[in-house]
Amino acid sequence: MTALFFRDIRLSFRAGGGAMLALAFFASVAALVPLGIGPDLKLLARIAGGVLWIAAALSALLSLDRLFQADFEDGSLDLIALAPQSLEVAAATKIAAHWLTTGLPLTVLSPLLGLLFGLPPQAYPALVLSLLLGTPAISAIGAVGASLTLSIRRGGLILPLIVLPLLSPAVIFGAGAVLAVLDGLSNGALGLLAAFSLVAVVLAPFACAAGVRLNLAG
Amino acid sequence: MSGFFALDQYANFIWAAYGVSVLGIAAAIVLCVQAHARAKARLANLEKEPS
Amino acid sequence: MLRYANPKRFMDLSGAALPWLAGAAAIFLVAGFYLGFAAPPDYQQGDTVKIMFVHVPAAWVAMMAYGLMALSAAVGLIYRHPLADAAAKAAAPLGALFTALALVTGSLWGKPMWGAWWVWDGRLTSFLILLLIYLGYIALWNAIEDETRAARATAILALVGAVNLPIIEFSVRWWTTLHQGESILRPGGPSISAVFLWPLFAMALGYTLLFFSLWIVRIRTEILERRARSLMLGLS
């Protein structure tokens, strides 16, 4: 499994891999939103949490469709399925590798983008913490979608379509955490987000394994 | 009769809501029944063909 | 129960039951319509309370449809039974339709009250997400070519959705209390007076029977289409 873990990480940092692409996309969206809304820093500061959260979700989804599909196409998924470790463990490993190469870098980049939105300094910890806690959920739930759609050629937008509604609690709690700081409230958003991520990360490997199995069978 | 259907100033909204509902339900019925009839006809056609 | 799972038995039974279901649906719908319009205006909402009689039943069926869809999907996944798969597939467009109806009627109910065509009310928001989940499910069915694979993949999606929906509902309610008041699409006061309950129940029953009628028609269609497909494979 460690071999799988490091292989996934290496692959995602290559040219066609998702890591750099996701970061670039994240930055692009964050740069474009103010162009669409106007330079009113008060307004931008208010929406920063939500915008960055949605941008993070979309960016993470970018590389997810290849999570299982690449291995499916070159036959390595069959090998993984035959390995002594269970498919659930393999799925969890792939989710972890994806988060490390996509969710985590996004989280690290986010304060810089928060600057573009004039986010007040006290909100930065909430922003980073919410992304840190929430991006695992995005990787996990996204991976489930990826396992279900791996046989679809030119899947295009079907993965985001089925995954995004399922991510709404993460977006609500994640952006809500930032908003809480801005409004001077404590609303327990981070705790709820952590709980959601935990449940997602624990249950996703089982659904992923089921998704992989149904695609490998005949 | 007109008294029965008399509504307050929001009559348009109420009629719109009922109208949309009736249209949606009617469309659903028509589409489902048509699809069923088509499938039945197609199957009957295939079963008639000498194998 | 699995005795009825035989497609031919299903066709026979459903063919016999369908006219009764459809007839009963029609009776309750007409009765509900009449009772709805006979009801007096609400002291708070005036006549717009009548929209409740088409909004709430649609919302109720939208949720029930998802439950039945997920249940069918689970049965299909566990017992590998094509009839259950067909039932899940058949339920989805109906569920999506009633969700859309709930949204439109909810919007029309809200406009006179709050002056806006759309409000991010807790219930409307949840139903918007439910509609997206339905659409994703239908899209997945259409995207996967192999029927058996599609059935299994969509079954997993339906079950993941089923687990997630209560969480989504909770998070949306949490979100509305964060940003405004509590859910406002509620008829009258804390309790509905009896004069409104009768049309509501009649319509709810009518909508439910209508759903079951249409669901059965769609499942029958699925079975016929499957038979046609297998005949074509046999012929070619």
Side-chain angles (χ1 to χ4, degrees):
Chain A
M1 282 301 118
T2 36
L4 178 63
F5 184 68
F6 287 112
R7 165 183 167 272
D8 268 28
I9 293 180
R10 251 183 303 120
L11 281 176
S12 98
F13 276 117
R14 279 213 208 123
M20 294 294 118
L21 190 60
L23 280 179
F25 184 80
F26 189 42
S28 309
V29 171
L32 275 175
V33 164
L35 293 179
I37 294 192
D40 177 0
L41 271 180
K42 261 187 61 195
L43 175 62
L44 289 177
R46 185 114 191 116
I47 66 174
V51 168
L52 290 176
W53 246 94
I54 294 166
L58 293 174
S59 312
L61 284 178
L62 265 185
S63 54
L64 269 169
D65 64 337
R66 296 294 290 167
L67 190 68
F68 294 106
Q69 195 174 61
D71 293 336
F72 178 67
E73 282 167 1
D74 66 17
S76 29
L77 201 55
D78 293 281
L79 293 175
I80 294 173
L82 289 171
Q85 291 91 353
S86 69
L87 211 43
E88 283 80 1
V89 173
T93 309
K94 289 183 84 68
I95 293 173
H98 179 266
W99 177 75
L100 219 60
T101 57
T102 309
L104 191 55
L106 290 178
T107 308
V108 169
L109 186 60
S110 63
L112 198 62
L113 297 175
L115 267 181
L116 293 179
F117 284 77
L119 199 61
Q122 66 267 26
Y124 284 92
L127 176 67
V128 173
L129 203 52
S130 73
L131 283 173
L132 191 67
L133 289 172
T135 42
I138 301 176
S139 291
I141 297 178
V144 175
S147 72
L148 297 178
T149 57
L150 64 86
S151 67
I152 302 173
R153 324 213 117 272
R154 315 186 53 90
L157 287 173
I158 189 149
L159 180 63
L161 177 60
I162 62 181
V163 169
L164 280 175
L166 299 173
L167 286 178
S168 36
V171 174
I172 287 175
F173 295 137
V178 178
L179 224 48
V181 173
L182 291 178
D183 291 338
L185 301 165
S186 78
N187 54 17
L190 284 177
L192 293 167
L193 182 60
F196 181 74
S197 272
L198 190 62
V199 171
V201 165
V202 164
L203 293 181
F206 296 98
C208 285
V212 168
R213 281 191 199 105
L214 76 89
N215 277 299
L216 288 180
Chain B
M1 187 59 175
S2 60
F4 181 72
F5 286 115
L7 298 166
D8 58 13
Q9 75 267 39
Y10 298 125
N12 287 333
F13 294 97
I14 303 168
W15 286 121
Y18 276 80
V20 163
S21 304
V22 167
L23 277 173
I25 291 174
I29 295 174
V30 166
L31 289 170
C32 290
V33 169
Q34 271 186 344
H36 185 265
R38 266 201 307 270
K40 204 166 177 188
R42 188 159 155 247
L43 187 62
N45 243 342
L46 285 171
E47 279 172 342
K48 255 191 294 162
E49 271 176 42
S51 48
Chain C
M1 191 59 196
L2 286 173
R3 258 193 308 134
Y4 302 107
N6 178 330
K8 176 160 193 322
R9 256 199 98 96
F10 177 82
M11 292 299 272
D12 294 337
L13 283 171
S14 64
L18 200 49
W20 296 100
L21 278 175
I27 292 174
F28 279 104
L29 286 174
V30 168
F33 180 82
Y34 172 78
L35 287 171
F37 273 82
D42 177 66
Y43 82 101
Q44 264 181 356
Q45 299 180 33
D47 277 320
T48 56
V49 72
K50 297 193 203 302
I51 299 184
M52 164 176 65
F53 305 134
V54 282
H55 169 77
V56 171
W60 151 250
V61 169
M63 291 190 290
M64 181 188 71
Y66 194 91
L68 290 171
M69 184 177 94
L71 193 62
S72 308
V75 170
L77 198 62
I78 298 172
Y79 295 102
R80 305 284 162 102
H81 206 289
L83 187 61
D85 294 332
K89 183 179 184 185
L94 294 174
L97 169 74
F98 283 103
T99 310
L101 281 180
L103 285 173
V104 172
T105 51
S107 165
L108 286 165
W109 199 6
K111 170 75 170 154
M113 296 296 114
W114 311 295
W117 281 113
W118 179 263
V119 285
W120 288 97
D121 158 81
R123 174 140 78 193
L124 284 182
T125 308
S126 292
F127 272 86
L128 185 59
I129 298 176
L130 180 63
L131 182 62
L132 294 174
I133 291 179
Y134 269 123
L135 293 178
Y137 177 86
I138 294 170
L140 192 59
W141 258 113
N142 292 329
I144 301 178
E145 287 161 10
D146 180 66
E147 273 293 311
T148 318
R149 252 187 199 174
R152 299 219 186 109
T154 52
I156 296 174
L157 183 62
L159 292 172
V160 170
V163 168
N164 212 331
L165 274 170
I167 303 177
I168 293 174
E169 163 68 8
F170 169 79
S171 67
V172 168
R173 261 189 298 131
W174 181 91
W175 174 79
T176 56
T177 57
L178 196 67
H179 295 274
Q180 52 186 71
E182 246 300 324
S183 179
I184 16 189
L185 271 180
R186 204 159 280 141
S191 60
I192 312 175
S193 76
V195 71
F196 295 138
L197 276 179
W198 288 113
L200 188 58
F201 284 154
M203 285 297 240
L205 201 49
Y207 267 62
T208 305
L209 291 167
L210 174 70
F211 170 79
F212 277 106
S213 309
L214 291 174
W215 193 28
I216 286 176
V217 171
R218 289 191 61 86
I219 299 176
R220 289 171 66 92
T221 309
E222 266 301 308
I223 294 176
L224 293 172
E225 282 174 357
R226 268 164 205 250
R227 262 194 230 154
R229 264 200 302 271
S230 62
L231 272 184
M232 288 196 57
L233 287 173
L235 286 174
S236 60

